[in-house]
Structure formats: C-alpha cells, structure tokens
Amino acid sequence: MELQTRKPNRLKNYDYSQNGAYFITICVQDRKPILSQIIVGEGLAPPVLKLLPFGECIKERINNLEIRYENVKIDNYVIMPNHIHILMRIENQTGGASPSPTVSDIICAFKSLSTLECKKLLPIDILFQRSYHDHIIRDDIDYQQIWQYIDENPIKWAEDKYNTNI
C-alpha cells in the first residue's frame, strides 16, 4: 500500500527567519477542548474565556517566547479550547554572528516545552497535532485583520464545528 504524500505546509523558497509578522495556528491533538472554556455571556455580555490548567501552562510558554528568543515579539494571542492563535514578529538585528531561528524552530521549541510542562500537570502522550498553520503577514491591513480575528475568535466559538458544547 502506497502512503499518501503530505502537501508542504510552508511557502517554497521563503526565509522564515527573516524580519516579518507571522500568524500561527496550533491545534490540540484530536481537537480535544483541554486548553480553555468559553462561557457565553447573557444578553449582550461578551463571552468569557477561562483558561484551564493546560491553558495556563500554554500562556506561560507563550509569554516566555520573548525571553527565550530576544528577536521574537508576541503581539497578540488567544488560547481557545482546542487551538491557539499567535501573532508574532521576528525582528533580527543586523550583523549577528549566529543564525536567527526560523518560525519552525520557534514553534517546535514552544510545542516541545509546552508538552513537557503540561505533562507535569496530567499524564499526556501528545498535546499538539504534528504540524501547525502559518500565514505570512503581508501588510498593515492584513496585520489588523489578523489582530481582529484573534480578538473575536472567542465570540465565534459558538459556531465552531469543533465546539462540543453546541
């Protein structure tokens, strides 16, 4: 039986270590809602996002990315029940001797460290799906749209096809 060839996820010939803004989506293995809960408000009240223990652990790992990588800035993020959205920038200084980490290096380290920390809370084998989705931010309009998407994601959770509380 021949195995199916996976489609490449990254933009061909693009240097993912160069300065720029990137929108990253990382999904929990099997889309299990283990990171947060979204509590729907009554009337016009907006939904409230409540982090679960794994979500708190993930939040700490996201905030540590700027410490681990001095050229990485986290501009916005949301920890949804079964996935994470991160808007980050890479800002390399010129003249550095060591190579800059790529988006893939950063996300791989994030996923690995998050899994190790979360395993201290509860025994899990795999926390995240194998890969992640990235989008290279092309201009200010794209950046603003992504920012808004992240901010509004909890509001749209009620219609999400992976929401098991529907």
Side-chain angles (χ1 to χ4, degrees):
M1 180 174 169
E2 190 175 320
L3 294 176
Q4 182 177 350
T5 306
R6 288 181 69 122
K7 159 180 125 170
N9 294 342
R10 310 295 156 245
L11 187 61
K12 191 173 180 173
N13 299 323
Y14 185 84
D15 179 3
Y16 279 89
S17 68
Q18 70 182 345
N19 289 353
Y22 302 89
F23 175 51
I24 308 297
T25 300
I26 304 168
C27 294
V28 171
Q29 182 72 19
D30 299 325
R31 297 253 186 187
K32 292 179 183 171
I34 59 173
L35 302 180
S36 67
Q37 290 179 324
I38 297 179
I39 302 158
V40 178
E42 295 199 22
L44 297 175
V48 175
L49 192 142
K50 178 185 173 209
L51 294 180
L52 299 174
F54 281 172
E56 291 288 349
C57 180
I58 298 301
K59 178 181 176 182
E60 191 174 322
R61 299 283 75 72
I62 290 172
N63 291 328
N64 284 342
L65 284 172
E66 292 183 348
I67 297 166
R68 183 175 183 84
Y69 302 101
E70 61 185 40
N71 64 327
V72 171
K73 305 296 178 226
I74 303 301
D75 291 343
N76 199 2
Y77 68 91
V78 65
I79 301 169
M80 297 296 289
N82 63 9
H83 64 280
I84 305 161
H85 293 301
I86 302 173
L87 177 57
M88 70 177 202
R89 286 178 289 124
I90 295 180
E91 297 178 342
N92 294 311
Q93 306 299 323
T94 56
S98 60
S100 298
T102 65
V103 170
S104 185
D105 295 334
I106 296 162
I107 299 306
C108 183
F110 165 77
K111 288 170 67 173
S112 177
L113 292 169
S114 296
T115 300
L116 287 172
E117 287 301 312
C118 287
K119 280 184 178 187
K120 294 177 183 177
L121 300 173
L122 286 170
I124 53 166
D125 290 326
I126 300 170
L127 180 57
F128 296 112
Q129 288 181 0
R130 179 175 167 190
S131 192
Y132 62 92
H133 173 77
D134 71 79
H135 170 77
I136 302 161
I137 308 289
R138 286 155 176 64
D139 55 32
D140 287 340
I141 293 170
D142 194 19
Y143 182 91
Q144 292 303 322
Q145 289 173 339
I146 296 295
W147 186 289
Q148 184 176 354
Y149 179 83
I150 289 172
D151 283 351
E152 293 176 356
N153 210 234
I155 297 167
K156 297 176 181 175
W157 179 246
E159 294 99 42
D160 192 290
K161 69 179 180 180
Y162 294 104
N163 180 355
T164 57
N165 295 327
I166 297 177

